[in-house]
Amino acid sequence: MKYVTVVSLAAGLIFPNCASAQWNSPDKANLRMQVRSKFGKVRSLETTPFFGDYDSDGKDDALVFAYYDDRNGGNSTSLDVFLFKGTGKRFSFVKKIQDVYGTAPRMVRFSLGTIKVTLTTLGPNDPRCCPTATKEYVISAR
């Protein structure tokens, strides 16, 4: 299993075994444009990328969480999750991930063929506004 270390500057803490989440290079800026192109008109789109190597080729791959406002004018927020393969210069779309729900993605761990991620989700007695449960998803990167 490969791990990437990320440092949270705001808290000044080190979280080992987590993938990095930043858009600060030309190849990653291209990835952001690819994600944005998957949406028509939305009132708001917030994207959170995580980078790591799920195929052991030594190049960053990406898992991107995209939160957006309901296209039909409602007040709910929807989530799409996308998987991309890194080629070293660009990212190519692999697939849209199904059945991942929640907010605040964290503790993302890339390993050969899988990506694990923790999200905050609705617990059995939570109102829709206020999720409190934690769930770890295991995403197939194949």
Side-chain angles (χ1 to χ4, degrees):
M1 203 180 278
K2 286 192 174 186
Y3 294 105
V4 179
T5 301
V6 65
V7 177
S8 172
L9 297 176
L13 300 173
I14 296 175
F15 297 98
N17 307 332
C18 297
S20 60
Q22 44 190 314
W23 293 110
N24 62 356
S25 66
D27 55 335
K28 292 173 183 170
N30 172 270
L31 174 62
R32 175 182 248 170
M33 288 189 314
Q34 285 189 62
V35 171
R36 288 189 180 280
S37 74
K38 299 206 174 293
F39 294 89
K41 279 202 156 200
V42 291
R43 288 181 294 174
S44 133
L45 175 64
E46 180 184 321
T47 54
T48 304
F50 293 92
F51 302 98
D53 189 3
Y54 66 74
D55 57 4
S56 295
D57 66 357
K59 297 179 181 89
D60 268 351
D61 303 306
L63 183 68
V64 180
F65 292 80
Y67 293 92
Y68 56 95
D69 288 342
D70 186 293
R71 293 182 178 123
N72 298 317
N75 63 356
S76 65
T77 299
S78 297
L79 168 65
D80 284 349
V81 182
F82 302 104
L83 182 65
F84 291 85
K85 176 169 178 23
T87 64
K89 301 236 183 227
R90 299 179 61 92
F91 288 89
S92 60
F93 176 76
V94 174
K95 64 182 176 179
K96 181 177 172 182
I97 306 299
Q98 302 296 321
D99 301 320
V100 173
Y101 307 100
T103 61
R106 59 199 177 278
M107 297 302 297
V108 180
R109 297 169 311 282
F110 286 75
S111 61
L112 186 58
T114 61
I115 303 167
K116 293 181 180 179
V117 59
T118 300
L119 286 105
T120 301
T121 61
L122 288 173
N125 298 315
D126 290 346
R128 186 158 193 246
C129 71
C130 311
T132 62
T134 299
K135 180 171 181 176
E136 181 178 71
Y137 289 91
V138 178
I139 296 169
S140 173
R142 297 186 177 160

